[in-house]
Amino acid sequence: MAKNKVDIEQLIEMDKKHFLHPTSAISDQQQFGPAFIFKKGKGIYLEDVNGKKLIDGMSSLWNVNVGHGRKKLAKAARKQMEKLAYSSCFATFSHEPAIYLAKKLAELTPHPLTATFFTSGGSEANETAYKLARHYWLLKGKPFKKKIISRKKSYHGVSIGATSATGLKEFRAFTKSLAPDFYFVNQFDTTALERFIEAEGPETIAAFISEPVQGAGGVHVAPENYFKEIREICTKYEILFITDEVITGFGRTGKWFGIEHYGVAPDMMCFAKGITSGYAQLGGVMISEELHHELIELSKGPLLHGYTYSGHPTACAVALKNIEMIEKEGLVKNARIRGEELLEGLNKLKKERKIVKAVRGLGLMAALDFKDEHKQKNVLFSPLVFKEAASRGLICRAVTLDGQDVIVLAPPLIINKKQIRKIVQILNDAIKAVENAHFH
Ligand code: PMP
C-alpha cells in the first residue's frame, strides 16, 4: 500500500501504463495521471493517498446511497461469503438471499411489479429489459413488435443494446456501429412520441424506455403530467413502458422509486446502483404481475437469457442489509428534506453567481446549468467549476455532452443539513473563482 511520495509516484506510473479507465480521456490520463487515487471512505467523505479529504458530492457514481465505510454491509457480505459465497440461479437452482431479495423488492416497488430478473449492473438490466420485451411480443405472436423508443439525452449504459438506447449522442458515436431497432424522441414531447408511433406503426414497437429523472444527461426532471401521458400512450398502442431507475431507485429522489412522483406504474423497471449502495455489483429488472402471468402462460421453452452473476448470493445479501439500513435510518425521507434544502441553497447561489442560468433537481439529484439560451458563449464553465470545487474539497460532476454545460450533484442520502450548506458554500466559492478568472 502507498505510504510515501515514492510509492504514490509509482502508483501513478502503473496507472498510466496498465489501467484503461472507464469513460475517461485517455490522452489526459497519459499527460496528467489520475487526479485522485482514493484510499478510504467514511460517511460522505472520500480520502485519497495524499490524505486529502473530499465530500463525495456524487455518491461516487450516484450509487453510494448509505455513505462510505458502513461496517454492517461489510459484515453482511462476510457472513454470506463464509456461508455460501456463490452458487448458480440457472434453471432450477436457487438460494435464500435471491429469494428473500426478490420478495422484498416486490413489497417495496410500485404495486404491480412482482417478479425480478437479477443482473450485475445497470447496462445488463437494460439489455435484459429489451430482450424480455421482444421475447414477450414473440410469444404473443407479434414478431414485428421489436422497436425500442428511447429519449434524447438519456443514458442507459454501455453494452451494445444499452448504448443503442442511449440518447447522449457521443456515446453512440463511439463506435458508430449499433444494434438495430432503437429510436429517439425529444425528452418531454408526448405529442411527438404519439406521432412517431403512428408513423412507424404501433405493431412494430415493443417498448418505450425512460429514466424518471434523466441523470447522466444532466438531471432533467420531467413535467408533472409527462409520465401520466406516457402511460396512457403506451397502454393505448400496446407498448411496454420501461422505467430505468438505475439512478433514481432506492430513495435517491425522496421516494423509493422515481416514478412514484408521477403516480403511474411501469410494466418493467430496471435498477442497479443504490440497491447495494455500491458495496456489491447488482442490478435487475422487475416485471409486472400481469406480464409475469402472461410469460408463465405463453412460455414454451426455457428463458434463454442469464448471467453467471444473476442473483449473486453475496450481492443479494448486501442488498437486503442495505435496504434494511435505508428503511431503519429513514433515508428516503432524509433525501426528500435534504434535497429541498439543496435546491433552496442552489437557487440562492444562482442569484449571486451570474454565470448560473438555471437550477433544477428532485430529491438528492441536482443540477446547475451554465448554458445561456440567449447568448453563444465559447467557454465551457462546468469543467472549470469541477476543478475549482475539487481543489476546495468537493466532488461534483461536469456534464458537457450533447452541447450542455452543467454541474450535477447527487450526495449520499445520509447527508445532514450542515453538510448540504457546506456543499453549496464550496460551489459558490468555486463558481466565484471561475467568474473572477473569466471576467477580469
Ligand atoms: N441506466 C442509467 C439510468 C444509468 O445512470 C446507468 C449508469 N450510470 C446505467 C443504466 C448503466 O449502469 P451500469 O454502469 O451499472 O452498467
Side-chain angles (χ1 to χ4, degrees):
M1 290 294 132
K3 285 191 190 71
N4 55 45
K5 222 172 160 45
V6 179
D7 290 339
I8 294 167
E9 274 165 20
Q10 275 175 359
L11 277 176
I12 293 170
E13 282 318 304
M14 289 192 284
D15 184 285
K16 284 158 72 167
K17 198 162 173 194
H18 302 294
F19 189 7
L20 275 175
H21 287 248
T23 316
S24 66
I26 208 161
S27 54
D28 284 0
Q29 182 202 8
Q30 291 309 311
Q31 200 179 341
F32 306 113
F36 298 102
I37 301 176
F38 294 117
K39 192 170 175 176
K40 54 186 179 190
K42 186 132 184 72
I44 67 160
Y45 289 93
L46 282 170
E47 189 176 323
D48 80 354
V49 287
N50 292 307
K52 185 177 167 75
K53 260 175 97 176
L54 296 112
I55 296 175
D56 187 1
M58 279 306 295
S59 304
S60 287
L61 283 176
W62 323 78
N63 57 344
V64 188
N65 285 3
V66 298
H68 297 279
R70 303 299 305 264
K71 293 211 162 62
K72 279 183 190 160
L73 291 178
K75 254 191 213 155
R78 180 182 177 142
K79 201 167 143 200
Q80 185 58 44
M81 273 198 181
E82 286 178 348
K83 199 153 99 188
L84 175 69
Y86 177 77
S87 66
S88 159
C89 293
F90 271 42
T92 56
F93 297 145
S94 199
H95 55 69
E96 287 169 291
I99 297 170
Y100 282 126
L101 181 58
K103 157 103 177 4
K104 181 71 194 174
L105 288 172
E107 288 162 8
L108 273 184
T109 42
H111 38 280
L113 297 167
T114 51
T116 301
F117 185 101
F118 290 109
T119 67
S120 316
S123 302
E124 285 181 0
N126 273 274
E127 219 64 54
T128 301
Y130 313 146
K131 284 179 76 174
L132 278 182
R134 288 165 174 166
H135 180 69
Y136 167 74
W137 291 119
L138 275 179
L139 291 176
K140 296 270 282 184
K142 299 186 177 181
F144 301 109
K145 258 176 117 53
K146 56 187 179 184
K147 290 177 188 163
I148 309 283
I149 308 178
S150 181
R151 299 188 300 161
K152 291 181 183 165
K153 291 198 171 67
S154 61
Y155 183 83
H156 297 295
V158 291
S159 50
I160 277 279
T163 303
S164 304
T166 288
L168 290 165
K169 50 183 184 282
E170 287 88 342
F171 281 94
R172 298 201 310 280
F174 181 61
T175 63
K176 290 198 176 154
S177 172
L178 299 163
D181 299 320
F182 287 89
Y183 296 84
F184 299 91
V185 290
N186 277 336
Q187 266 171 316
F188 302 127
D189 190 345
T190 48
T191 313
L193 172 67
E194 199 157 2
R195 252 190 278 124
F196 180 85
I197 295 168
E198 300 237 328
E200 291 287 322
E203 70 285 357
T204 70
I205 300 167
F208 171 82
I209 180 155
S210 65
E211 301 153 84
V213 178
Q214 284 188 333
V219 181
H220 298 282
V221 186
E224 208 180 314
N225 282 327
Y226 176 73
F227 284 109
K228 206 168 148 269
E229 289 170 26
I230 289 290
R231 178 68 270 182
E232 282 167 10
I233 292 170
C234 288
T235 304
K236 177 175 166 191
Y237 293 102
E238 283 203 301
I239 292 169
L240 295 174
F241 172 33
I242 309 169
T243 51
D244 181 345
E245 298 259 7
V246 168
I247 286 179
T248 49
F250 303 96
R252 172 62 51 200
T253 66
K255 290 195 186 281
W256 272 98
F257 296 91
I259 199 67
E260 291 174 39
H261 288 277
Y262 298 91
V264 299
D267 300 303
M268 291 191 196
M269 190 184 89
C270 302
F271 63 84
K273 294 189 191 279
I275 187 167
T276 61
S277 288
Y279 282 69
Q281 305 88 325
L282 187 70
V285 186
M286 297 196 70
I287 63 171
S288 70
E289 190 163 28
E290 195 186 330
L291 210 55
H292 190 205
H293 283 163
E294 282 195 87
L295 283 175
I296 295 167
E297 222 165 83
L298 298 167
S299 271
K300 293 181 189 82
L303 198 156
L304 281 178
H305 181 76
Y307 302 97
T308 301
Y309 299 127
S310 283
H312 192 289
T314 307
C316 289
V318 170
L320 278 164
K321 180 55 76 179
N322 178 61
I323 291 169
E324 184 190 303
M325 285 160 69
I326 294 175
E327 281 177 329
K328 279 196 180 151
E329 296 171 22
L331 297 184
V332 181
K333 184 173 167 208
N334 195 55
R336 179 169 58 75
I337 297 168
R338 302 282 92 88
E340 283 164 8
E341 289 165 5
L342 179 61
L343 216 51
E344 198 185 311
L346 294 178
N347 272 309
K348 267 196 204 141
L349 174 156
K350 178 173 166 271
K351 290 194 186 121
E352 290 171 39
R353 304 269 65 92
K354 63 180 170 194
I355 62 171
V356 178
K357 300 300 174 198
V359 168
R360 50 182 184 261
L362 186 64
L364 283 172
M365 293 175 82
L368 290 174
D369 204 325
F370 301 102
K371 188 155 174 161
D372 194 334
E373 296 300 338
H374 308 293
K375 262 193 253 157
Q376 285 282 358
K377 60 183 176 70
N378 48 17
V379 202
L380 282 174
F381 290 124
S382 54
L384 304 173
V385 172
F386 167 82
K387 266 196 185 156
E388 291 290 345
S391 76
R392 289 167 171 77
L394 169 68
I395 298 169
C396 52
R397 185 196 278 198
V399 178
T400 56
L401 296 172
D402 228 322
Q404 300 187 88
D405 191 10
V406 178
I407 281 284
V408 294
L409 286 166
L413 312 190
I414 50 160
I415 196 162
N416 64 35
K417 196 181 175 101
K418 203 169 145 207
Q419 293 165 331
I420 289 282
R421 269 200 237 116
K422 178 97 183 149
I423 287 182
V424 176
Q425 182 60 52
I426 294 178
L427 265 181
N428 200 341
D429 292 345
I431 299 170
K432 195 172 174 182
V434 171
E435 284 181 344
N436 286 342
H438 186 68
F439 294 110
H440 296 290

